[in-house]
Amino acid sequence: MAKPKIRCGVAGVGSLGQHHARIYATLPGAELAGIYETSDARAAEMCAQHGCRRFATIDELGAACDAVSIVVPTDRHAEVALPLLAKGCHLLIEKPLCASVEEAERVLAAAQAHR
């Protein structure tokens, strides 16, 4: 029986996030479930390129994914990470983790609480 693929998503598909999407789309054990992107033009380009879906909200992305790369501006890392952790997603957060120590502590506490 084939092992199920890990459903992956990317929040933010700019100059760095596009590489996360490309890799998930080609990784044998992964499936690019979709992206969250605020730019309509960029979202359309990435979805066409990788045959994936654009999610309208972070919550929708989290509900469809096992793991998500967070590749939005650093000052939005906590805002994006916290609802995804609450949905039980595993996260890869581009560095730096957060814009402040306080935000990083909140993300760490949420990650520990949601295992």
Side-chain angles (χ1 to χ4, degrees):
M1 184 150 109
K3 195 173 179 183
K5 292 188 175 193
I6 298 170
R7 298 170 304 150
C8 300
V10 180
V13 287
S15 60
L16 186 56
Q18 68 180 334
H19 298 296
H20 288 252
R22 174 182 53 80
I23 290 167
Y24 287 142
T26 60
L27 209 56
E31 168 197 344
L32 178 59
I35 62 166
Y36 172 80
E37 172 57 51
T38 57
S39 164
D40 292 341
R42 185 62 172 171
E45 177 187 355
M46 289 291 103
C47 288
Q49 189 172 340
H50 299 299
C52 67
R53 173 178 172 196
R54 179 190 190 185
F55 291 93
T57 67
I58 291 295
D59 280 340
E60 289 177 14
L61 176 69
C65 295
D66 302 308
V68 176
S69 285
I70 297 179
V71 201
V72 298
T74 303
D75 65 353
R76 297 202 49 233
H77 282 185
E79 169 189 337
V80 172
L82 293 171
L84 291 171
L85 288 168
K87 292 239 181 259
C89 291
H90 297 276
L91 302 182
L92 186 160
I93 304 174
E94 274 297 338
K95 63 184 183 227
L97 178 61
C98 289
S100 70
V101 172
E102 293 77 16
E103 285 182 345
E105 287 172 343
R106 285 190 8 239
V107 169
L108 177 60
Q112 290 170 333
H114 296 289
R115 304 189 141 272

